């Protein structure tokens, strides 16, 4: 069985909680972060894809793909681009994420 991984960005404290920090949360605690009416937290789900360095790629990350440039991973269509780059090991690095680095959306 595949385990769902996530990270949560708390906009109040400006802190990113990694998966290992939230994995012991109860479903009730996690559901607070998953509600759309909570403006103080942003949830990013692990895509199941890693960079060539082994860094996990989450939705809302901006990654650098050789021969393509930067990609903001925001929907399932972007997963297709990542999967196309996997066999060539072209996913070089994570540039940042849009919660901690909102300026990446301006590029």
């Amino acid at each position: 069985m595949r385990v769902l991984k996530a990270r949560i960005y708390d906009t109040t404290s400006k802190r990113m909680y990694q998966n290992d920090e939230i994995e012991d949360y109860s479903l009730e605690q996690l559901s607070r972060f998953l509600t759309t009416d909570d403006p103080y937290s942003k949830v990013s789900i692990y895509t199941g894809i890693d960079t060539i360095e082994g860094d996990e790629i989450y939705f809302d990350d901006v990654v650098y793909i050789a021969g393509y440039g930067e990609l903001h991973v925001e929907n399932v269509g972007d997963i297709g681009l990542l999967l196309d780059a996997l066999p060539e090991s072209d996913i070089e690095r994570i540039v940042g994420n849009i919660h901690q680095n909102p300026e990446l959306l301006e590029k």
Side-chain angles (χ1 to χ4, degrees):
M1 178 173 91
R2 187 168 210 150
V3 176
L4 178 68
K5 291 183 178 184
R7 64 182 184 199
I8 300 170
Y9 182 69
D10 184 331
T11 58
T12 304
S13 67
K14 305 255 188 269
R15 180 168 185 259
M16 184 70 77
Y17 291 89
Q18 300 300 324
N19 187 69
D20 60 343
E21 296 176 277
I22 61 173
E23 66 186 358
D24 292 329
Y25 281 21
S26 69
L27 187 56
E28 183 178 327
Q29 289 170 306
L30 286 175
S31 67
R32 176 181 91 78
F33 295 109
L34 297 173
T35 58
T36 56
D37 59 347
D38 183 359
Y40 304 108
S41 63
K42 306 295 180 194
V43 177
S44 297
I45 304 297
Y46 174 52
T47 63
I49 302 171
D50 299 342
T51 66
I52 59 173
E53 299 295 321
D55 297 320
E56 297 176 340
I57 300 171
Y58 287 77
F59 283 96
D60 292 332
D61 279 345
V62 175
V63 297
Y64 181 80
I65 301 173
Y68 181 84
E70 292 183 0
L71 171 69
H72 171 206
V73 182
E74 60 183 327
N75 60 48
V76 176
D78 296 330
I79 299 297
L81 288 172
L82 291 174
L83 290 173
D84 286 344
L86 269 180
E88 304 298 322
S89 299
D90 287 341
I91 307 171
E92 293 186 359
R93 68 182 181 280
I94 297 172
V95 178
N97 68 70
I98 65 166
H99 306 299
Q100 294 174 301
N101 314 102
E103 68 277 4
L104 292 174
L105 289 176
E106 298 170 9
K107 291 183 177 184

